[in-house]
Amino acid sequence: MKSIIKGHYQAHKDVDAVDAEVLVQSGYWIIRYKDPKGHMQQLSWSEAEIISLVPGNTYVLQNNEYPRFISIDQALAQRMKPKSAVSSWFKDRKEAALVGSVTMILVLGMLALWKLVPLVANAIATRIPIETEQKLGLEMQKSFLSQYTVDTALTLLVNEYLDSLQLPSSYDLQLYVVQSDQVNAFAVPGGTIVIFSEILKKMKRHEALAALIGHEATHIEHRHSLKSLARSIAWSSTLSMIIGGSDVISGIMVKNVNNLTSLKYSRSLEHEADTRAVQILGDKRIDLIGMIELMHTLQQIDTSGHAVEFLQTHPLTTHRMEVAMEASRVQKSPVSRLDLLSIWSKIKQAEGVR
């Protein structure tokens, strides 16, 4: 094809077309013409954006009527034939249909994953043997506690309190109190509960501690922590976990130990933990007012503008508060646990010397 093609250039519909020529280069048209004042003008069009209008001798940039280059040169017409307005119309719609189909497949795929990934994560977490979970928990516990100072005196006392509670559990439960101004507590898979010193400081009565321990112990007993942690990292590691099984998921979870402090449980898991904690405290005849006071205290701190990490990871809904209040109202004959009260007094004395 010759490189220079004669024709006419029309800037817009209100002016006449003027003599022009096109220099066809690789991927570009260089259009040259003289304006009404006789000055030579030059502009560049990307060939990828050029289409021909019916009857095929007028060329414009896509989605425009002007400016236009007009030429009856057959070589140019042949070059641009695949990009006629008609073929472009069909091509655009074929691409639109393809894009629509691909988009629909992606949306359906994402919806399937949204449903499937939690199921896969739960299935893998459930199939991990308790012994493996305990080893995993020990690694996570070491990794996390290395970042904080463990309050040895308070840790000994809250474990004494735990022993006196005599909670039914498949795990060897252990409590750690770490020094921090965060209002938080969480369960580590395998049997460890970490309590931040600030949340312990906010408690006014020992029944609140019993409620907190019962709640977190339920998360451990029903593997809520393991399942929730698996879900939180499943989107990026589902394939690896499926292929590698327990060893792979264990390695991934240890690397994501910091997620424990920001691990948010679903409402259904929180409801299950609350319900079981209420049952445990009821069986022990421990006054359920402790659970209400714990929730109320945390709620007051949160609304005062202070960050309460516990409420961020354990969302306190109106329904949860109502359930606790109703359980307390119908509780029959709670007793004063002098053994627990004695240990609680020691805990508050130990806090006071700090």
Side-chain angles (χ1 to χ4, degrees):
M1 175 181 173
K2 53 188 177 182
S3 59
I4 298 179
I5 298 173
K6 300 293 183 178
H8 299 85
Y9 175 79
Q10 187 175 7
H12 53 82
K13 66 178 181 179
D14 294 328
V15 299
D16 295 331
V18 297
D19 292 339
E21 62 182 18
V22 164
L23 174 62
V24 179
Q25 296 184 330
S26 178
Y28 289 93
W29 287 12
I30 307 298
I31 301 176
R32 295 182 296 204
Y33 66 95
K34 287 184 179 181
D35 63 20
K37 295 183 179 181
H39 298 147
M40 182 63 70
Q41 301 293 336
Q42 180 172 297
L43 52 89
S44 175
W45 283 3
S46 170
E47 192 170 66
E49 299 178 3
I50 301 171
I51 61 172
S52 57
L53 300 178
V54 178
N57 59 356
T58 301
Y59 307 94
V60 298
L61 293 175
Q62 287 184 4
N63 303 319
N64 291 284
E65 293 185 19
Y66 295 91
R68 55 178 60 183
F69 180 76
I70 306 164
S71 175
I72 60 173
D73 190 288
Q74 292 304 307
L76 186 61
Q78 186 64 31
R79 179 184 181 89
M80 298 304 298
K81 184 177 180 180
K83 300 187 67 178
S84 67
V86 175
S87 63
S88 178
W89 188 90
F90 281 108
K91 177 177 178 292
D92 289 344
R93 279 150 184 77
K94 288 178 181 178
E95 290 177 348
L98 178 61
V99 170
S101 299
V102 171
T103 301
M104 181 61 70
I105 292 172
L106 289 175
V107 169
L108 292 175
M110 289 299 295
L111 289 174
L113 280 177
W114 183 70
K115 291 288 188 181
L116 180 62
V117 168
L119 295 176
V120 172
N122 278 355
I124 294 175
T126 302
R127 286 175 172 77
I128 294 178
I130 289 183
E131 295 78 10
T132 303
E133 181 187 0
Q134 290 172 331
K135 291 179 182 179
L136 164 65
L138 182 60
E139 291 299 317
M140 298 177 79
Q141 170 193 307
K142 290 178 181 178
S143 178
F144 180 82
L145 293 180
S146 66
Q147 305 172 45
Y148 289 87
T149 299
V150 175
D151 192 314
T152 305
L154 286 177
T155 295
L156 289 173
L157 288 171
V158 294
N159 276 286
E160 183 181 348
Y161 188 94
L162 172 64
D163 291 340
S164 294
L165 271 179
Q166 295 183 336
L167 296 183
S169 179
S170 306
Y171 297 83
D172 180 19
L173 298 176
Q174 287 186 312
L175 300 180
Y176 286 89
V177 179
V178 297
Q179 295 178 3
S180 173
D181 58 1
Q182 295 182 45
V183 182
N184 204 0
F186 64 90
V188 180
T192 297
I193 298 172
V194 177
I195 300 175
F196 289 71
S197 59
E198 189 67 17
I199 193 173
L200 194 61
K201 182 180 178 181
K202 299 296 182 184
M203 295 178 185
K204 305 302 181 184
R205 53 194 298 163
H206 80 85
E207 291 90 346
L209 177 58
L212 177 66
I213 293 174
H215 183 95
E216 296 298 333
T218 301
H219 282 317
I220 291 174
E221 186 68 24
H222 293 269
R223 292 186 154 188
H224 293 170
S225 301
L226 188 65
K227 293 175 182 177
S228 296
L229 188 59
R231 287 187 185 191
S232 72
I233 60 177
W235 290 106
S236 60
S237 54
T238 299
L239 182 59
S240 297
M241 289 189 292
I242 293 173
I243 295 174
S246 299
D247 293 338
V248 172
I249 190 174
S250 299
I252 293 172
M253 286 186 174
V254 170
K255 292 178 181 178
N256 286 270
V257 65
N258 289 328
N259 289 348
L260 285 169
T261 58
S262 59
L263 191 63
K264 187 171 183 177
Y265 295 105
S266 67
R267 289 188 177 186
S268 62
L269 296 186
E270 284 299 288
H271 176 70
E272 185 176 3
D274 283 346
T275 302
R276 179 55 183 157
V278 166
Q279 182 181 348
I280 291 173
L281 268 61
D283 292 344
K284 301 293 181 182
R285 299 181 69 183
I286 297 174
D287 199 333
L288 288 170
I289 193 67
M291 176 170 282
I292 297 173
E293 287 199 4
L294 174 63
M295 291 183 178
H296 184 65
T297 300
L298 294 171
Q299 196 172 46
Q300 282 187 322
I301 299 170
D302 186 50
T303 56
S304 69
H306 295 86
V308 183
E309 286 78 2
F310 186 82
L311 295 185
Q312 295 172 9
T313 56
H314 301 66
L316 180 54
T317 62
T318 302
H319 177 68
R320 288 185 64 197
M321 180 68 82
E322 290 174 350
V323 169
M325 292 178 68
E326 177 62 19
S328 176
R329 187 184 68 81
V330 301
Q331 184 180 21
K332 296 180 179 180
S333 306
V335 299
S336 179
R337 291 285 301 269
L338 297 180
D339 57 334
L340 298 178
L341 185 58
S342 174
I343 300 170
W344 178 250
S345 297
K346 295 178 185 178
I347 290 173
K348 286 303 169 181
Q349 288 173 6
E351 288 179 345
V353 300
R354 281 157 178 73

